[in-house]
Amino acid sequence: DASGEPPRFLRVRDVVVDRQTHAAERAGEPLDLTPTELKVLSCLMETPDEVWSPKQLVQRARGYEADTEGARAIIRVHVRRLRKKLEPDPAGPTYILNVRGVGYMFASSPPESD
């Protein structure tokens, strides 16, 4: 929109984030997220199917620089917690996908099952 404001709602599949109230839900069920989890989720949902490196996610969600190893460790914890709250099966995630050696992305559609 012309105001340059980010949209209030982020919607990808059945997940909605309301940036004004800092609330998130999946399939109409509220998700109990910490502020950092919400920021990480928002970053990933802003650009579905685009991979974010852990360093980029720490920078955006936490507002500071971290080295690659540190960033990976920080983000891994948040992603694990997010998946517990978001994924029907955290062991087989379909929303927040890990791209080996690169980072994480929010899938705009469920991955094809083999």
Side-chain angles (χ1 to χ4, degrees), residues 12-15 26 49 83 86-98 105-113:
V12 182
R13 287 162 56 191
D14 59 355
V15 180
R26 189 192 85 228
D49 301 323
R83 281 180 174 154
L86 178 68
E87 301 281 357
D89 173 15
T94 64
Y95 291 95
I96 299 173
L97 305 183
N98 188 9
M105 69 175 211
F106 195 96
S108 65
S109 57
E112 299 294 312
S113 47

Side-chain angles (χ1 to χ4, degrees), residues 2-70:
S3 69
E5 286 289 305
R8 174 175 173 180
F9 295 101
L10 286 167
R11 275 175 232 262
V12 182
R13 287 162 56 191
D14 59 355
V15 180
V16 180
V17 170
D18 180 338
R19 297 194 218 213
Q20 204 168 316
T21 61
H22 301 282
E25 59 179 49
R26 189 192 85 228
E29 292 293 311
L31 299 169
D32 181 24
L33 303 182
T34 67
T36 299
E37 290 164 353
L38 189 74
K39 278 199 180 118
V40 169
L41 181 62
S42 297
C43 288
L44 294 169
M45 286 178 66
E46 274 169 25
T47 57
D49 301 323
E50 243 175 71
V51 181
W52 288 70
S53 74
K55 284 178 82 155
Q56 291 171 310
L57 284 168
V58 169
Q59 172 67 51
R60 280 293 297 279
R62 305 291 314 195
Y64 61 82
E65 296 290 333
D67 63 32
T68 305
E69 280 308 300

